[in-house]
Every structure is written in C-alpha cells, then in structure tokens.
Amino acid sequence: MWTTLEQIFPYAIVFTVPLLITALGALFSERSGVVNIGLEGLMIMGSFVGAFVIFKMQQLWPGQPFVLWVGLLVATVAGILFSLLHAFASINLNANQIISGTAINMIAGALTVFLARNMTGSGNIRITSGFVPFDIPGLVKIPVLGPLLFAKTYPTTWLVLLIVFISSFVLYKTPFGLRLRACGEYPQAAEAAGIRVRWMRYVGVMISGAFAGLGGAVIMVTYAGEFTGSVAGLGFLALASLIFGQWKPLGVLAATMFFGFASTVANVSQVIPSLSAIPPVILKVFPYAVTLLALIVFSKSSNAPKAAGEPFDSSKR
Amino acid sequence: MNNSVKSLLAVLLGLLAGALLMAVTGHNPLQGYKFLVEGGLKNPERIGNTLATATPLIFTGLSVAFAFRTGLFNIGAAGQMLFGGFCATAIGLTMDLPRALLLLLMVVAGMVGGALWGLIPGILKAKFNVHEVVSTIMMNWICYWTVYYAVPSYFKGDYLETESKQLPEAALLRNPFLSDLFGGSYINLGLFIALAAVAVIAFVIGKTTLGYELKAVGFNRHAAEYAGIAVNRGIVLSMLISGALAGLGGVALYAGNASSIQIGILPSQGFDGIAVALLGASSPLGVLASAVFFGLLYSGRGFMNAMTEIPPEIADSIIAIIIYFAAAGILIERWIRAIAGRRAAKGRKVVPDHVDYP
C-alpha cells in the first residue's frame, strides 16, 4: 500500500498544480466581486499561446530549457490580455458575469483551434520537449516525506507553491488584500472609504487571467506536451475547487489536492490490485459526487464573497 | 431597445468579426461567406441538413431559455441531453415493440432521463441553496463517466469499443418520405417534436399560471415569495422541465441525426444551447430562429472548408463572438444612443434658436 502511495503521489501532484494555480486566480477575481466562469477558456488560451511560443522558439533554440520559461511567461501575459474582455464586459458594461464568462470559454475554444489549424493544418500544436521531472537532491532522502514530496518533481510545481504562499500573504496581510476583499464584500462601503472599486476588480480579474493562463501552459509543459484545443474541463473543476475550498487559499489547496488524488487514483486503479476490485465508474464519479455532497454541507455557512456576481452600482449605498 | 434589434446587431457584429478573422488569416471573407451560405442552403438536401442540425439546438436552446426565465442558469444541458439520449437508446436497443409505440417510449424515456438529471440540481438549489452552475457542471461529468462505462458494458458496438450498437431502423426518428422530400438529407421527425415543443413552451410561458409564477420567481425571488408563490417548488419544476427538454434534444441527436452514442464526449449542442437561448432572448420563437441560424453556420461550414482553406472552426468563432456582443448588449445600446445623440445635435445646429444679425 505504501509503495502504491509513493508511486501515485508525484502524478497526483502534477495533476493538482494547474488546477491549484487556476483556482487561486479565480479566488482573486471572486474576492474582488467578479465571478469568473471563463477559467476554462483562459486556460485554453494560455495553453495555446504557450504551445505556440515554445513551438516556434524550439525551432531556433532546440533543447534549451529557458524557452519553456519564456512560453510560461507569454502565456501568463496572454491570460491577462484575454481576461480583459471579461473584465470590460462585467465591470464597465454591467453584463451578466456568467454569460460573459461563458462567451470567454466559447471564444477561446473556437478561436485557438481556428488559429492553430491555420498554422499547422491539424489544430494541434506539439512541442518537442517539456520539463523533465527530477528528484530534489538531499531532500528526497528524508524518510516518509522525501519520496512523496521531493521525488519526480517539476520546477513549475515549486513555482506554483511559492505563488500560493505569496497570494495567501498578499490577500490577508497587506492593505491591497484588504481592499480587494472589501470590494467583494461590500463595494459601496469600500468606495466610501476611498477605494477605486472598478480598478480593484480589474486587478482581480487580471490576476485570475494571469494564473489561469499560467495553469493552462503548465499542463502543456508537464504532462500533456501538446495543445489540443481543450483542457478537459479542468477550468470548471478549478471553479468547483474554489467553492469547495470556501474561497480561501489553503482551502483551495486542499480541495485541488483532493481532486488531484481522486483523479489519479481513478486513472491508475486498474493496475493496482487493491483498487481494481472497485468498478472504475465509481472511482471516476466519486470526486464529482463528493463535491455535490460538500456543497450541501457547506451551503448553510457559505463564505462566498457577498457581492460576487453583482455589477457595482455606487448609488446603492 | 427591442430585444430582436439587439440580437440582430450582435449577429451583424459577429459576422463582421468573422470576416475580419478570415481577412487577417489571409482568406477572402466574401468567398468564405458565399460558400458558407451555399453549404447550408444550396439544394433541398442541404436545407434538410441545416434543419436537422438545428433540431437538437432548438431543444437545448429551449431548455436553457426556460431555466433562464426562472432566473436559473442551466449549464448542464449537455449532461441532461446525454443521459436522455442514453435512456432512449437503451430502450431502442432492448425493446421489441411496434414502431410507433417504440418511438413513443423512447421519447418518454429521453424526457424522463433528462428530467432526472435536471431534477437533482433543482432540488439541491431549492433545499440547500447549492448554486446550479456548479451542481449542473458536476452532473455533466457524472453523466459523462456513467455513459462512458455503461455503453461498452451493456450496449457495445459491433465494430468500435467507443460507441454503442447501432439503433435498428424501427428505433430511428428517420422517415423515408421526409428524407426523399429533402433529397436524401438526414432530416427527421425530431424537427416536428422540436416545433411542437416550441409551441408548448411558448404557451406555458405566456398563457399559464405556472409560466407566470416561474417568470415572477425569475424577476424577483423575494417578491414572488411575498406574493405567495411557492418559490422552491417553482425552481424544482423549472429545472425538471428544462432537463426534460434537453433530454428530448438527446433523443433527436442520438436517434435522429445519429444512430448510436459515442462515449468520451459531452454533446457540444448542450453548451451551444446557452448561446441559442441568449441570442433568442429566451423567447421560444427567438430560440427557434437562432437555432436555425446556428444550424446554417454549422452545416454550411463543411462545404466552405472543402471549397476554401478556411478552417471550419470559423463558425464556432462567429457564434462565440456573437454571444460576447449579446452579453455586452449595453455597449451596443450606448453606441446607438451616441450615434442618435450626434444626429440630434446636428439637427439642432441646422435651425439655431438664436441668430444675431449684423
């Protein structure tokens, strides 16, 4: 059993990381008062732009790892730019945020494949190489924890974990975090206190665009290696993780770990004797069913930002 | 401003953006649109195919629109559709009945399957205040995996692992007379069920107490409650009906346009239903019109792709951009007001109210 756990742990983490960073971005957006259901689209955009940049640069500098980092950076910027469409519609135009987010998902899914097909003819973009997992020297020798946390890790995992801790600090310990949260709870009071609500909401949405774009690109440079025009519902799963995690960074970390593990277990169940007795359909359905149950349990004490989803109207004081 | 004017402007802007996209990627937009329209309308067969493509969209559009009217955002039409289609297929593959009875039973099974898939989020919303956007997404994936494992275990196809057995001729909505009329198109009886559904839903929304109550809940839940309307019952009922409509869409898709269920994909028509409902401003007739328009884009794109180098995803891109403009309806309104304002300003200058003579 222990060896099984040691084996699947690294895979579970690899699957968790893009989900985690995307859900974390959405945390900023929703805390500022803008619901972002367009995460799936933002991830697809990040995965597309990342794939395109890396594909082009690998022809010039084959085998250079810096190319992957440039790809991640450009994907992050692309996520920001694309998220502006959602920000503009929901902040300036008072559009229904769920509809605007749906439009973001549709535009990304269609436009990226359209462009990819124009460039490669097939709609897929394959990069020649992604990051190679490595054991962290020294730390991997720590008993128990070493093989679980420090074996076969990707550099992007550590980057994302760093971002999680910085985000947590920013959100709870800085004036900026306080202002951002105020805009999602009671924007009229925030405005009365001299905070520029619309600007803060723009920042919230842009952070979610940046993180989702990064998340989409991380999928591509770690386990996927190819842009295919879809991120298989991970954006929606990130949204569910955000709600499951009750709009808190550590809660989101726990919720995404749960999804990462549940999916990995379901994926490898057939090769593990102790799990192969369970029908695979039960393992696959399990995370979604548990989410529904969790939502029922949490529904009495939801920590959702109170103004999330509502257009800001400063006359409503 | 009138909803249909707004929708038409959104369509116009979407088509313009599509033209821009074609031009930027080095194609001729006029030629692209010419082949797109020809591909959808050139001869009776293509017209039939356009209508057939539109059929599941009419159902899912109605489904999303109906929930919208009650203030609910049903993003789970894809799952409801898949489950309804799966139930109907299960009946079609196992029951040996006279054709009319078999088809009737399949239609009922599709409705019940879809309704069940919509009922669960409805109950969760009414009883526990679980947001329907998240719960319907979860239901989509639960259905995806259920069908993913149920089809190969119980109804495995003769040649492919990834699809169900073909439905027998008697269990299909195809009709030889109709197909011949449209030059061998795959148009089928689903279209007539869809038209009937449009009429029924228009009647329910516009003329019945139930429709009035559901709309009242959609406009202002608290006011409706104060007025003595059973809000929770309305929410459950609305999701139930919405799911049943999507389930019928599944029947039309899997037993009409296609003849088997593929595993590993959620039907895209479920998500397009959101677009259809938005463009149709959630009115049944609007849904019908926008479903036919999307049907034209989808069925014409193959011909366009064959005649030019333009990738078929242009149709999806145009639809997506239309929806963005529909969501940003205020933008369009402001532009129109700005233009109207400038005209009015010009008009005033022509007749100055005070003139100084030298």
Side-chain angles (χ1 to χ4, degrees), chain A residues 109-131:
Chain A
L111 195 63
T112 53
V113 179
F114 176 81
L115 293 174
R117 218 184 274 276
N118 264 306
M119 292 181 300
T120 66
S122 79
N124 293 13
I125 302 176
R126 177 174 274 283
I127 60 173
T128 33
S129 63
F131 282 117

Side-chain angles (χ1 to χ4, degrees), chain A residues 9-305:
Chain A
F9 220 90
Y11 292 103
I13 291 179
V14 169
F15 191 77
T16 301
V17 162
L19 209 56
L20 171 62
I21 188 70
T22 306
L24 196 69
L27 175 77
F28 279 91
S29 173
E30 301 224 346
R31 282 291 193 166
S32 78
V34 180
V35 170
N36 193 347
I37 202 178
L39 298 174
E40 181 95 354
L42 292 164
M43 286 180 94
I44 291 174
M45 195 47 94
S47 144
F48 168 70
V49 172
F52 176 67
V53 168
I54 293 169
F55 174 74
K56 285 286 174 200
M57 286 181 73
Q58 276 180 342
Q59 292 172 338
L60 294 174
W61 296 281
Q64 292 276 10
F66 86 92
V67 166
L68 299 174
W69 292 108
V70 175
L72 289 177
L73 185 68
V74 180
T76 307
V77 174
I80 296 176
L81 293 178
F82 192 51
S83 73
L84 288 176
L85 271 182
H86 181 55
F88 179 64
S90 41
I91 300 167
N92 294 91
L93 301 178
N94 296 353
N96 181 323
Q97 294 171 9
I98 292 183
I99 295 174
S100 162
T102 305
I104 293 291
N105 287 335
M106 293 171 66
I107 293 177
L111 195 63
T112 53
V113 179
F114 176 81
L115 293 174
R117 218 184 274 276
N118 264 306
M119 292 181 300
T120 66
S122 79
N124 293 13
I125 302 176
R126 177 174 274 283
I127 60 173
T128 33
S129 63
F131 282 117
V132 181
F134 61 95
D135 294 349
I136 300 217
L139 291 176
V140 77
K141 300 245 165 55
I142 301 174
V144 185
L145 284 182
L148 294 185
L149 297 177
F150 302 112
K152 286 191 234 159
T153 66
Y154 286 97
T156 45
T157 303
W158 302 107
L159 172 71
V160 166
L161 283 177
L162 182 70
I163 296 176
V164 172
F165 289 111
I166 295 175
S167 300
S168 205
F169 177 80
V170 165
L171 208 55
Y172 289 110
K173 303 284 178 205
T174 62
F176 167 78
L178 182 68
R179 288 184 192 136
L180 187 91
R181 285 183 288 136
C183 294
E185 293 296 331
Y186 201 89
Q188 288 81 10
E191 192 191 39
I195 299 169
R196 290 158 66 200
V197 174
R198 292 208 166 81
W199 167 243
M200 290 306 272
R201 288 190 167 182
Y202 257 94
V203 174
V205 175
M206 279 155 68
I207 293 177
S208 94
F211 287 8
L214 178 61
V218 165
I219 296 176
M220 229 249 326
V221 294
T222 55
Y223 63 86
E226 185 180 28
F227 164 79
T228 57
S230 142
V231 291
L234 281 191
F236 289 116
L237 213 52
L239 188 72
S241 312
L242 174 67
I243 297 169
F244 200 167
Q246 290 288 289
W247 293 269
K248 291 180 185 131
L250 290 180
V252 167
L253 178 65
T256 50
M257 289 277 274
F258 166 74
F259 274 117
F261 269 87
S263 315
T264 309
V265 166
N267 285 338
V268 299
S269 67
Q270 290 312 297
V271 292
I272 298 170
S274 52
L275 287 174
S276 59
I278 308 171
V281 62
I282 293 188
L283 292 172
K284 288 285 191 190
V285 164
F286 176 73
Y288 306 107
V290 168
T291 305
L292 283 178
L293 286 177
L295 291 175
I296 294 172
V297 172
F298 287 146
S299 63
K300 291 277 176 286
S301 60
S302 172
N303 287 320

Side-chain angles (χ1 to χ4, degrees), chain B residues 87-98 101-102 105-106 155 168 170-171:
Chain B
C87 292
T89 304
I91 297 276
L93 285 174
T94 50
M95 299 267 186
D96 190 19
L97 294 167
L101 200 59
L102 182 65
L105 205 60
M106 284 171 69
F155 309 107

Side-chain angles (χ1 to χ4, degrees), chain A residues 85 93 95 117-118 243 299, chain B residues 27 73 128 134 313 324 327 330:
Chain A
L85 271 182
L93 301 178
R117 218 184 274 276
N118 264 306
I243 297 169
S299 63
Chain B
H27 308 289
F73 196 79
F128 303 105
V134 182
E313 282 77 18
Y324 183 77
I330 289 188

